[in-house]
Amino acid sequence: MIVGTTIFRLDGNLYYSPEFSRGGLAATFSVDVTHYSGPSGFAINIETRNSEDTTWTTLGTFASITATGHFAVDLTGCKELVRFGYGFDPSAASTDAVHILMQAPSWRPY
């Protein structure tokens, strides 16, 4: 069994995680990048919305990831639902890829 997710740039469109319910008004979001291929940056957006909303808003973004390692971002103001958007810089080749292990958010009150 392989643990984690491998993402290729391919056509450049974002990949989205399934939406999930928030566990608090604020959280630390973490990712472990175990493999990184390509010179361009990899981005993870954290998006949020309430159940009655029709569009997602960006809650925050990880700094551009350009190497293996552990990365985290601390955010406040989560709405009812959250999802992740994964993508590469526009200059990336279709073969650029990462292998990540997205951690469960560490939720807390505001």
Side-chain angles (χ1 to χ4, degrees), residues 34-105:
T34 60
H35 297 77
Y36 186 85
S37 172
S40 63
F42 176 69
I44 302 173
N45 301 327
I46 297 94
E47 299 180 356
T48 190
R49 72 178 177 93
N50 287 324
S51 56
E52 68 272 5
D53 295 340
T54 58
T55 59
W56 292 89
T57 58
T58 300
L59 179 64
T61 304
F62 283 80
S64 183
I65 298 169
T66 57
T68 60
H70 178 81
F71 304 90
V73 62
D74 190 62
L75 301 170
T76 60
C78 297
K79 294 182 179 180
E80 296 171 356
L81 301 170
V82 180
R83 74 176 181 180
F84 301 117
Y86 304 98
F88 290 86
D89 290 347
S91 63
S94 63
T95 56
D96 286 2
V98 295
H99 186 81
I100 62 171
L101 179 58
M102 198 73 196
Q103 306 293 324

Short mmCIF file of all heavy atoms in Angstrom, two decimals, residues 34-105:
data_model
loop_
_atom_site.label_atom_id
_atom_site.label_comp_id
_atom_site.label_asym_id
_atom_site.label_seq_id
_atom_site.Cartn_x
_atom_site.Cartn_y
_atom_site.Cartn_z
N THR A 34 6.67 14.38 0.12
CA THR A 34 7.71 13.34 0.17
C THR A 34 8.50 13.22 -1.13
O THR A 34 9.63 12.75 -1.12
CB THR A 34 7.10 11.97 0.51
OG1 THR A 34 6.14 11.63 -0.50
CG2 THR A 34 6.41 12.01 1.87
N HIS A 35 7.89 13.63 -2.26
CA HIS A 35 8.56 13.59 -3.56
C HIS A 35 8.20 14.86 -4.31
O HIS A 35 7.03 15.29 -4.27
CB HIS A 35 8.12 12.38 -4.38
CG HIS A 35 8.45 11.08 -3.76
ND1 HIS A 35 7.74 10.56 -2.70
CD2 HIS A 35 9.43 10.19 -4.03
CE1 HIS A 35 8.26 9.39 -2.36
NE2 HIS A 35 9.30 9.15 -3.16
N TYR A 36 9.16 15.43 -5.00
CA TYR A 36 8.93 16.66 -5.75
C TYR A 36 9.71 16.59 -7.05
O TYR A 36 10.92 16.34 -7.04
CB TYR A 36 9.39 17.88 -4.93
CG TYR A 36 9.04 19.17 -5.59
CD1 TYR A 36 7.80 19.74 -5.41
CD2 TYR A 36 9.94 19.81 -6.43
CE1 TYR A 36 7.45 20.92 -6.04
CE2 TYR A 36 9.61 20.99 -7.07
CZ TYR A 36 8.37 21.54 -6.86
OH TYR A 36 8.02 22.70 -7.51
N SER A 37 9.03 16.78 -8.17
CA SER A 37 9.67 16.70 -9.48
C SER A 37 9.30 17.93 -10.31
O SER A 37 8.12 18.17 -10.56
CB SER A 37 9.22 15.44 -10.21
OG SER A 37 9.68 15.45 -11.54
N GLY A 38 10.28 18.70 -10.71
CA GLY A 38 10.03 19.87 -11.54
C GLY A 38 10.53 21.13 -10.89
O GLY A 38 10.59 21.23 -9.68
N PRO A 39 10.87 22.11 -11.69
CA PRO A 39 11.42 23.36 -11.15
C PRO A 39 10.36 24.37 -10.70
O PRO A 39 10.69 25.34 -10.04
CB PRO A 39 12.21 23.92 -12.34
CG PRO A 39 11.48 23.42 -13.52
CD PRO A 39 10.97 22.06 -13.14
N SER A 40 9.12 24.16 -11.06
CA SER A 40 8.09 25.15 -10.74
C SER A 40 7.49 24.90 -9.36
O SER A 40 7.70 23.86 -8.75
CB SER A 40 6.99 25.11 -11.79
OG SER A 40 6.38 23.84 -11.78
N GLY A 41 6.72 25.84 -8.88
CA GLY A 41 6.12 25.75 -7.55
C GLY A 41 4.80 24.99 -7.55
O GLY A 41 4.07 24.96 -8.53
N PHE A 42 4.51 24.40 -6.41
CA PHE A 42 3.26 23.69 -6.17
C PHE A 42 2.48 24.49 -5.14
O PHE A 42 3.05 24.97 -4.16
CB PHE A 42 3.56 22.27 -5.66
CG PHE A 42 2.35 21.48 -5.28
CD1 PHE A 42 1.47 21.05 -6.25
CD2 PHE A 42 2.09 21.15 -3.97
CE1 PHE A 42 0.34 20.30 -5.92
CE2 PHE A 42 0.98 20.41 -3.61
CZ PHE A 42 0.10 19.99 -4.59
N ALA A 43 1.19 24.66 -5.34
CA ALA A 43 0.37 25.48 -4.46
C ALA A 43 -0.80 24.69 -3.90
O ALA A 43 -1.38 23.85 -4.59
CB ALA A 43 -0.15 26.70 -5.20
N ILE A 44 -1.14 24.98 -2.65
CA ILE A 44 -2.33 24.41 -2.02
C ILE A 44 -3.15 25.57 -1.49
O ILE A 44 -2.68 26.36 -0.66
CB ILE A 44 -1.98 23.45 -0.88
CG1 ILE A 44 -1.08 22.32 -1.37
CG2 ILE A 44 -3.26 22.90 -0.24
CD1 ILE A 44 -0.55 21.42 -0.27
N ASN A 45 -4.39 25.69 -1.97
CA ASN A 45 -5.32 26.71 -1.49
C ASN A 45 -6.28 26.05 -0.52
O ASN A 45 -6.74 24.93 -0.77
CB ASN A 45 -6.14 27.31 -2.64
CG ASN A 45 -5.27 27.95 -3.68
OD1 ASN A 45 -4.23 28.51 -3.38
ND2 ASN A 45 -5.71 27.88 -4.93
N ILE A 46 -6.64 26.74 0.55
CA ILE A 46 -7.68 26.29 1.46
C ILE A 46 -8.90 27.16 1.17
O ILE A 46 -8.83 28.38 1.28
CB ILE A 46 -7.25 26.38 2.93
CG1 ILE A 46 -6.05 25.47 3.20
CG2 ILE A 46 -8.40 25.97 3.85
CD1 ILE A 46 -4.75 26.13 3.09
N GLU A 47 -9.99 26.52 0.76
CA GLU A 47 -11.20 27.25 0.39
C GLU A 47 -12.31 26.92 1.38
O GLU A 47 -12.34 25.83 1.94
CB GLU A 47 -11.62 26.88 -1.04
CG GLU A 47 -10.57 27.24 -2.07
CD GLU A 47 -10.98 26.89 -3.48
OE1 GLU A 47 -12.05 26.28 -3.68
OE2 GLU A 47 -10.21 27.23 -4.40
N THR A 48 -13.23 27.86 1.56
CA THR A 48 -14.29 27.68 2.54
C THR A 48 -15.59 28.31 2.04
O THR A 48 -15.57 29.20 1.18
CB THR A 48 -13.86 28.29 3.90
OG1 THR A 48 -14.79 27.91 4.91
CG2 THR A 48 -13.72 29.79 3.84
N ARG A 49 -16.70 27.84 2.56
CA ARG A 49 -18.02 28.42 2.26
C ARG A 49 -19.02 27.90 3.28
O ARG A 49 -18.79 26.88 3.95
CB ARG A 49 -18.48 28.08 0.84
CG ARG A 49 -18.88 26.64 0.63
CD ARG A 49 -19.36 26.43 -0.81
NE ARG A 49 -19.69 25.04 -1.06
CZ ARG A 49 -20.92 24.52 -0.94
NH1 ARG A 49 -21.93 25.27 -0.57
NH2 ARG A 49 -21.13 23.23 -1.19
N ASN A 50 -20.14 28.59 3.39
CA ASN A 50 -21.27 28.11 4.18
C ASN A 50 -22.15 27.24 3.28
O ASN A 50 -22.08 27.35 2.05
CB ASN A 50 -22.07 29.27 4.77
CG ASN A 50 -21.33 29.95 5.91
OD1 ASN A 50 -20.65 29.30 6.69
ND2 ASN A 50 -21.46 31.26 5.99
N SER A 51 -22.97 26.40 3.87
CA SER A 51 -23.76 25.45 3.09
C SER A 51 -24.71 26.14 2.11
O SER A 51 -24.99 25.59 1.04
CB SER A 51 -24.53 24.50 4.01
OG SER A 51 -25.34 25.24 4.90
N GLU A 52 -25.18 27.33 2.42
CA GLU A 52 -26.10 28.02 1.51
C GLU A 52 -25.37 28.82 0.43
O GLU A 52 -25.99 29.29 -0.53
CB GLU A 52 -27.05 28.95 2.28
CG GLU A 52 -26.39 30.14 2.93
CD GLU A 52 -25.85 29.89 4.33
OE1 GLU A 52 -25.88 28.75 4.81
OE2 GLU A 52 -25.38 30.86 4.93
N ASP A 53 -24.06 28.99 0.55
CA ASP A 53 -23.28 29.73 -0.46
C ASP A 53 -23.15 28.91 -1.74
O ASP A 53 -23.11 27.68 -1.70
CB ASP A 53 -21.88 30.05 0.06
CG ASP A 53 -21.89 31.00 1.25
OD1 ASP A 53 -22.90 31.70 1.45
OD2 ASP A 53 -20.89 31.02 1.99
N THR A 54 -23.04 29.60 -2.86
CA THR A 54 -22.89 28.92 -4.15
C THR A 54 -21.46 28.96 -4.67
O THR A 54 -21.14 28.30 -5.66
CB THR A 54 -23.83 29.53 -5.21
OG1 THR A 54 -23.54 30.93 -5.32
CG2 THR A 54 -25.29 29.34 -4.81
N THR A 55 -20.61 29.76 -4.05
CA THR A 55 -19.22 29.85 -4.48
C THR A 55 -18.28 29.69 -3.29
O THR A 55 -18.64 29.96 -2.15
CB THR A 55 -18.92 31.20 -5.16
OG1 THR A 55 -19.20 32.26 -4.24
CG2 THR A 55 -19.76 31.38 -6.42
N TRP A 56 -17.08 29.25 -3.59
CA TRP A 56 -16.04 29.09 -2.58
C TRP A 56 -15.21 30.36 -2.51
O TRP A 56 -15.02 31.04 -3.51
CB TRP A 56 -15.12 27.92 -2.96
CG TRP A 56 -15.80 26.60 -2.88
CD1 TRP A 56 -16.48 25.98 -3.88
CD2 TRP A 56 -15.86 25.74 -1.75
NE1 TRP A 56 -16.96 24.77 -3.44
CE2 TRP A 56 -16.59 24.60 -2.14
CE3 TRP A 56 -15.37 25.80 -0.46
CZ2 TRP A 56 -16.85 23.55 -1.27
CZ3 TRP A 56 -15.61 24.76 0.41
CH2 TRP A 56 -16.35 23.64 0.01
N THR A 57 -14.71 30.67 -1.31
CA THR A 57 -13.76 31.77 -1.14
C THR A 57 -12.46 31.19 -0.60
O THR A 57 -12.46 30.16 0.09
CB THR A 57 -14.28 32.84 -0.17
OG1 THR A 57 -14.55 32.23 1.10
CG2 THR A 57 -15.54 33.49 -0.70
N THR A 58 -11.36 31.83 -0.94
CA THR A 58 -10.06 31.37 -0.48
C THR A 58 -9.83 31.84 0.95
O THR A 58 -9.83 33.04 1.22
CB THR A 58 -8.93 31.88 -1.40
OG1 THR A 58 -9.17 31.38 -2.71
CG2 THR A 58 -7.57 31.41 -0.91
N LEU A 59 -9.65 30.89 1.84
CA LEU A 59 -9.36 31.19 3.25
C LEU A 59 -7.88 31.51 3.41
O LEU A 59 -7.49 32.37 4.17
CB LEU A 59 -9.77 30.01 4.13
CG LEU A 59 -9.52 30.12 5.62
CD1 LEU A 59 -10.36 31.25 6.21
CD2 LEU A 59 -9.85 28.81 6.31
N GLY A 60 -7.04 30.79 2.67
CA GLY A 60 -5.60 31.00 2.75
C GLY A 60 -4.88 30.08 1.78
O GLY A 60 -5.49 29.22 1.14
N THR A 61 -3.58 30.27 1.69
CA THR A 61 -2.76 29.51 0.75
C THR A 61 -1.42 29.18 1.40
O THR A 61 -0.86 30.01 2.11
CB THR A 61 -2.51 30.35 -0.53
OG1 THR A 61 -3.77 30.72 -1.08
CG2 THR A 61 -1.73 29.57 -1.56
N PHE A 62 -0.94 27.99 1.16
CA PHE A 62 0.42 27.65 1.55
C PHE A 62 1.39 28.48 0.71
O PHE A 62 1.11 28.77 -0.46
CB PHE A 62 0.71 26.17 1.29
CG PHE A 62 0.12 25.23 2.30
CD1 PHE A 62 -1.21 24.87 2.23
CD2 PHE A 62 0.90 24.69 3.31
CE1 PHE A 62 -1.76 23.99 3.14
CE2 PHE A 62 0.36 23.81 4.23
CZ PHE A 62 -0.97 23.47 4.16
N ALA A 63 2.54 28.83 1.25
CA ALA A 63 3.58 29.46 0.45
C ALA A 63 3.96 28.47 -0.66
O ALA A 63 3.83 27.25 -0.49
CB ALA A 63 4.79 29.78 1.31
N SER A 64 4.42 28.98 -1.80
CA SER A 64 4.78 28.13 -2.92
C SER A 64 5.77 27.04 -2.48
O SER A 64 6.80 27.34 -1.89
CB SER A 64 5.39 28.97 -4.04
OG SER A 64 5.68 28.16 -5.16
N ILE A 65 5.43 25.80 -2.76
CA ILE A 65 6.23 24.65 -2.36
C ILE A 65 7.14 24.27 -3.51
O ILE A 65 6.66 24.00 -4.62
CB ILE A 65 5.33 23.49 -1.93
CG1 ILE A 65 4.49 23.90 -0.72
CG2 ILE A 65 6.14 22.23 -1.66
CD1 ILE A 65 3.38 22.94 -0.36
N THR A 66 8.45 24.23 -3.26
CA THR A 66 9.41 23.92 -4.32
C THR A 66 10.41 22.85 -3.91
O THR A 66 11.45 22.69 -4.55
CB THR A 66 10.19 25.19 -4.73
OG1 THR A 66 10.84 25.72 -3.58
CG2 THR A 66 9.26 26.23 -5.34
N ALA A 67 10.10 22.10 -2.85
CA ALA A 67 11.01 21.05 -2.37
C ALA A 67 10.23 20.10 -1.46
O ALA A 67 9.08 20.36 -1.12
CB ALA A 67 12.17 21.68 -1.59
N THR A 68 10.88 19.02 -1.07
CA THR A 68 10.26 18.12 -0.11
C THR A 68 10.33 18.73 1.28
O THR A 68 11.13 19.62 1.54
CB THR A 68 10.96 16.75 -0.11
OG1 THR A 68 12.32 16.94 0.23
CG2 THR A 68 10.85 16.07 -1.46
N GLY A 69 9.47 18.25 2.17
CA GLY A 69 9.49 18.74 3.55
C GLY A 69 8.10 18.86 4.13
O GLY A 69 7.11 18.46 3.51
N HIS A 70 8.05 19.40 5.34
CA HIS A 70 6.80 19.62 6.05
C HIS A 70 6.44 21.10 5.95
O HIS A 70 7.29 21.96 6.19
CB HIS A 70 6.94 19.20 7.52
CG HIS A 70 5.70 19.44 8.31
ND1 HIS A 70 4.64 18.57 8.28
CD2 HIS A 70 5.33 20.45 9.13
CE1 HIS A 70 3.68 19.03 9.06
NE2 HIS A 70 4.07 20.18 9.58
N PHE A 71 5.19 21.40 5.60
CA PHE A 71 4.74 22.78 5.45
C PHE A 71 3.43 22.95 6.20
O PHE A 71 2.61 22.03 6.24
CB PHE A 71 4.55 23.12 3.97
CG PHE A 71 5.78 22.90 3.15
CD1 PHE A 71 6.02 21.67 2.55
CD2 PHE A 71 6.73 23.90 3.01
CE1 PHE A 71 7.16 21.45 1.81
CE2 PHE A 71 7.88 23.69 2.28
CZ PHE A 71 8.10 22.47 1.68
N ALA A 72 3.22 24.13 6.77
CA ALA A 72 2.00 24.39 7.54
C ALA A 72 1.58 25.84 7.36
O ALA A 72 2.40 26.72 7.09
CB ALA A 72 2.23 24.08 9.01
N VAL A 73 0.29 26.07 7.53
CA VAL A 73 -0.27 27.41 7.50
C VAL A 73 -1.37 27.47 8.57
O VAL A 73 -2.13 26.51 8.74
CB VAL A 73 -0.79 27.80 6.10
CG1 VAL A 73 -1.92 26.90 5.65
CG2 VAL A 73 -1.19 29.25 6.05
N ASP A 74 -1.39 28.56 9.32
CA ASP A 74 -2.36 28.74 10.40
C ASP A 74 -3.40 29.77 9.94
O ASP A 74 -3.03 30.88 9.56
CB ASP A 74 -1.64 29.23 11.67
CG ASP A 74 -2.54 29.19 12.86
OD1 ASP A 74 -3.00 28.09 13.23
OD2 ASP A 74 -2.82 30.27 13.43
N LEU A 75 -4.69 29.40 9.96
CA LEU A 75 -5.73 30.26 9.43
C LEU A 75 -6.90 30.38 10.39
O LEU A 75 -7.20 29.45 11.15
CB LEU A 75 -6.24 29.72 8.09
CG LEU A 75 -5.19 29.58 6.99
CD1 LEU A 75 -5.75 28.82 5.82
CD2 LEU A 75 -4.68 30.94 6.57
N THR A 76 -7.58 31.52 10.33
CA THR A 76 -8.79 31.74 11.13
C THR A 76 -9.93 32.15 10.20
O THR A 76 -9.69 32.55 9.06
CB THR A 76 -8.57 32.86 12.18
OG1 THR A 76 -8.24 34.07 11.49
CG2 THR A 76 -7.45 32.50 13.14
N GLY A 77 -11.15 32.06 10.70
CA GLY A 77 -12.32 32.49 9.93
C GLY A 77 -12.93 31.42 9.06
O GLY A 77 -13.56 31.73 8.04
N CYS A 78 -12.79 30.17 9.44
CA CYS A 78 -13.36 29.07 8.65
C CYS A 78 -14.89 29.13 8.67
O CYS A 78 -15.49 29.33 9.72
CB CYS A 78 -12.92 27.72 9.21
SG CYS A 78 -11.15 27.45 9.11
N LYS A 79 -15.48 28.94 7.51
CA LYS A 79 -16.93 28.83 7.42
C LYS A 79 -17.32 27.37 7.64
O LYS A 79 -16.49 26.57 8.06
CB LYS A 79 -17.41 29.36 6.07
CG LYS A 79 -17.16 30.86 5.91
CD LYS A 79 -17.70 31.35 4.59
CE LYS A 79 -17.47 32.85 4.46
NZ LYS A 79 -17.99 33.35 3.17
N GLU A 80 -18.55 27.00 7.32
CA GLU A 80 -19.05 25.66 7.62
C GLU A 80 -18.33 24.53 6.87
O GLU A 80 -18.15 23.45 7.41
CB GLU A 80 -20.54 25.57 7.30
CG GLU A 80 -21.41 26.46 8.15
CD GLU A 80 -22.85 26.52 7.66
OE1 GLU A 80 -23.17 25.91 6.62
OE2 GLU A 80 -23.65 27.17 8.33
N LEU A 81 -17.95 24.78 5.62
CA LEU A 81 -17.35 23.74 4.78
C LEU A 81 -15.96 24.17 4.33
O LEU A 81 -15.71 25.36 4.12
CB LEU A 81 -18.22 23.46 3.56
CG LEU A 81 -19.65 22.99 3.85
CD1 LEU A 81 -20.48 22.97 2.59
CD2 LEU A 81 -19.62 21.61 4.50
N VAL A 82 -15.08 23.19 4.15
CA VAL A 82 -13.70 23.46 3.75
C VAL A 82 -13.32 22.45 2.66
O VAL A 82 -13.82 21.32 2.65
CB VAL A 82 -12.75 23.31 4.96
CG1 VAL A 82 -11.31 23.58 4.56
CG2 VAL A 82 -13.16 24.23 6.10
N ARG A 83 -12.44 22.87 1.76
CA ARG A 83 -11.85 21.96 0.78
C ARG A 83 -10.46 22.49 0.40
O ARG A 83 -10.13 23.65 0.65
CB ARG A 83 -12.71 21.81 -0.48
CG ARG A 83 -12.68 23.00 -1.40
CD ARG A 83 -13.48 22.74 -2.66
NE ARG A 83 -13.42 23.89 -3.56
CZ ARG A 83 -14.01 23.97 -4.72
NH1 ARG A 83 -14.75 22.95 -5.15
NH2 ARG A 83 -13.91 25.05 -5.46
N PHE A 84 -9.66 21.62 -0.19
CA PHE A 84 -8.33 21.99 -0.65
C PHE A 84 -8.31 22.04 -2.17
O PHE A 84 -8.93 21.20 -2.83
CB PHE A 84 -7.28 20.98 -0.19
CG PHE A 84 -7.22 20.81 1.31
CD1 PHE A 84 -7.52 19.60 1.89
CD2 PHE A 84 -6.86 21.87 2.13
CE1 PHE A 84 -7.45 19.43 3.27
CE2 PHE A 84 -6.80 21.72 3.50
CZ PHE A 84 -7.10 20.50 4.07
N GLY A 85 -7.58 22.99 -2.72
CA GLY A 85 -7.33 23.07 -4.16
C GLY A 85 -5.84 22.92 -4.40
O GLY A 85 -5.04 23.63 -3.79
N TYR A 86 -5.45 21.97 -5.24
CA TYR A 86 -4.04 21.67 -5.49
C TYR A 86 -3.69 22.04 -6.92
O TYR A 86 -4.40 21.67 -7.85
CB TYR A 86 -3.78 20.17 -5.31
CG TYR A 86 -4.19 19.62 -3.97
CD1 TYR A 86 -5.40 18.97 -3.80
CD2 TYR A 86 -3.34 19.74 -2.87
CE1 TYR A 86 -5.77 18.45 -2.57
CE2 TYR A 86 -3.70 19.22 -1.64
CZ TYR A 86 -4.92 18.58 -1.49
OH TYR A 86 -5.28 18.07 -0.28
N GLY A 87 -2.56 22.75 -7.11
CA GLY A 87 -2.17 23.12 -8.46
C GLY A 87 -0.70 23.51 -8.54
O GLY A 87 -0.01 23.63 -7.54
N PHE A 88 -0.25 23.71 -9.77
CA PHE A 88 1.13 24.07 -10.05
C PHE A 88 1.19 25.47 -10.66
O PHE A 88 0.21 25.96 -11.20
CB PHE A 88 1.75 23.07 -11.03
CG PHE A 88 1.97 21.71 -10.44
CD1 PHE A 88 0.95 20.78 -10.43
CD2 PHE A 88 3.19 21.37 -9.88
CE1 PHE A 88 1.14 19.52 -9.88
CE2 PHE A 88 3.39 20.12 -9.34
CZ PHE A 88 2.37 19.18 -9.34
N ASP A 89 2.37 26.08 -10.60
CA ASP A 89 2.59 27.36 -11.27
C ASP A 89 2.29 27.19 -12.75
O ASP A 89 2.51 26.11 -13.32
CB ASP A 89 4.03 27.83 -11.10
CG ASP A 89 4.34 28.26 -9.67
OD1 ASP A 89 3.39 28.44 -8.88
OD2 ASP A 89 5.53 28.41 -9.36
N PRO A 90 1.80 28.26 -13.41
CA PRO A 90 1.50 28.17 -14.85
C PRO A 90 2.69 27.76 -15.71
O PRO A 90 2.52 27.19 -16.78
CB PRO A 90 1.02 29.58 -15.21
CG PRO A 90 0.55 30.16 -13.92
CD PRO A 90 1.42 29.54 -12.85
N SER A 91 3.90 28.05 -15.27
CA SER A 91 5.09 27.71 -16.06
C SER A 91 5.48 26.24 -15.96
O SER A 91 6.40 25.79 -16.64
CB SER A 91 6.28 28.56 -15.61
OG SER A 91 6.60 28.27 -14.26
N ALA A 92 4.78 25.46 -15.15
CA ALA A 92 5.12 24.06 -14.93
C ALA A 92 4.88 23.22 -16.18
O ALA A 92 3.95 23.48 -16.95
CB ALA A 92 4.31 23.49 -13.77
N ALA A 93 5.71 22.21 -16.37
CA ALA A 93 5.51 21.24 -17.45
C ALA A 93 4.41 20.27 -17.05
O ALA A 93 4.14 20.07 -15.87
CB ALA A 93 6.81 20.49 -17.72
N SER A 94 3.80 19.64 -18.03
CA SER A 94 2.71 18.69 -17.73
C SER A 94 3.20 17.49 -16.93
O SER A 94 2.41 16.80 -16.31
CB SER A 94 2.03 18.23 -19.01
OG SER A 94 2.95 17.53 -19.83
N THR A 95 4.49 17.24 -16.94
CA THR A 95 5.06 16.10 -16.21
C THR A 95 5.52 16.45 -14.79
O THR A 95 5.94 15.56 -14.06
CB THR A 95 6.25 15.51 -16.98
OG1 THR A 95 7.20 16.56 -17.21
CG2 THR A 95 5.80 14.92 -18.30
N ASP A 96 5.46 17.72 -14.39
CA ASP A 96 5.81 18.10 -13.02
C ASP A 96 4.85 17.39 -12.06
O ASP A 96 3.65 17.27 -12.34
CB ASP A 96 5.74 19.60 -12.82
CG ASP A 96 6.90 20.33 -13.47
OD1 ASP A 96 7.74 19.67 -14.10
OD2 ASP A 96 6.96 21.57 -13.34
N ALA A 97 5.38 16.93 -10.93
CA ALA A 97 4.55 16.15 -10.01
C ALA A 97 5.02 16.30 -8.57
O ALA A 97 6.16 16.68 -8.31
CB ALA A 97 4.60 14.67 -10.41
N VAL A 98 4.13 15.97 -7.66
CA VAL A 98 4.44 15.89 -6.24
C VAL A 98 3.75 14.66 -5.66
O VAL A 98 2.76 14.18 -6.19
CB VAL A 98 3.98 17.13 -5.44
CG1 VAL A 98 4.72 18.37 -5.86
CG2 VAL A 98 2.49 17.32 -5.53
N HIS A 99 4.30 14.16 -4.56
CA HIS A 99 3.62 13.14 -3.77
C HIS A 99 3.47 13.74 -2.39
O HIS A 99 4.46 14.14 -1.76
CB HIS A 99 4.42 11.84 -3.72
CG HIS A 99 3.66 10.74 -3.04
ND1 HIS A 99 2.70 9.99 -3.68
CD2 HIS A 99 3.70 10.31 -1.76
CE1 HIS A 99 2.20 9.12 -2.83
NE2 HIS A 99 2.77 9.31 -1.65
N ILE A 100 2.22 13.84 -1.92
CA ILE A 100 1.94 14.52 -0.66
C ILE A 100 1.16 13.64 0.30
O ILE A 100 0.46 12.70 -0.11
CB ILE A 100 1.16 15.82 -0.89
CG1 ILE A 100 -0.22 15.54 -1.52
CG2 ILE A 100 1.96 16.81 -1.72
CD1 ILE A 100 -1.15 16.73 -1.57
N LEU A 101 1.29 13.96 1.56
CA LEU A 101 0.46 13.38 2.60
C LEU A 101 -0.17 14.56 3.33
O LEU A 101 0.50 15.27 4.07
CB LEU A 101 1.30 12.53 3.56
CG LEU A 101 0.55 11.88 4.71
CD1 LEU A 101 -0.56 10.98 4.20
CD2 LEU A 101 1.50 11.09 5.57
N MET A 102 -1.45 14.80 3.03
CA MET A 102 -2.17 15.92 3.63
C MET A 102 -2.65 15.49 5.01
O MET A 102 -3.35 14.49 5.15
CB MET A 102 -3.36 16.30 2.74
CG MET A 102 -3.92 17.64 2.99
SD MET A 102 -2.80 18.89 2.37
CE MET A 102 -3.44 20.31 3.21
N GLN A 103 -2.23 16.23 6.02
CA GLN A 103 -2.61 15.91 7.41
C GLN A 103 -4.01 16.42 7.71
O GLN A 103 -4.47 17.37 7.09
CB GLN A 103 -1.61 16.56 8.37
CG GLN A 103 -0.16 16.20 8.10
CD GLN A 103 0.12 14.74 8.37
OE1 GLN A 103 -0.43 14.15 9.29
NE2 GLN A 103 0.99 14.16 7.58
N ALA A 104 -4.65 15.80 8.68
CA ALA A 104 -5.94 16.31 9.14
C ALA A 104 -5.72 17.66 9.82
O ALA A 104 -4.73 17.84 10.52
CB ALA A 104 -6.57 15.33 10.13
N PRO A 105 -6.60 18.62 9.61
CA PRO A 105 -6.42 19.94 10.24
C PRO A 105 -6.43 19.82 11.76
O PRO A 105 -7.12 18.98 12.34
CB PRO A 105 -7.64 20.73 9.76
CG PRO A 105 -8.11 20.04 8.54
CD PRO A 105 -7.79 18.59 8.74
#
